[in-house]
Amino acid sequence: MDDGEEQQELEREIMRYRMMERDVTDPLALGLLHDILAELEAALQALTDQ
């Protein structure tokens, strides 16, 4: 997978988790989603900084 494909995949995952975040009402699940999003966004930022 090249960097462009990896970036697109990360963007899709971020969008998917943001959509899930809108529907979640459980505080624990929401916290976990925030953590996952933070990790995905950091990975995307690291990829774009290269």
Side-chain angles (χ1 to χ4, degrees):
M1 182 181 298
D2 69 1
D3 286 347
E5 290 174 352
E6 188 173 351
Q7 182 177 350
Q8 287 178 346
E9 180 64 26
L10 284 169
E11 289 170 349
R12 280 192 292 271
E13 287 291 307
I14 289 169
M15 183 63 68
R16 190 177 73 135
Y17 281 104
R18 283 186 181 154
M19 291 173 69
M20 279 193 273
E21 189 178 39
R22 287 186 274 183
D23 296 331
V24 171
T25 57
D26 182 86
L28 178 59
L30 192 57
L32 292 172
L33 283 172
H34 283 294
D35 289 346
I36 292 168
L37 279 166
E39 288 182 20
L40 289 170
E41 289 168 345
L44 180 61
Q45 186 63 41
L47 187 63
T48 58
D49 286 347
Q50 291 180 1

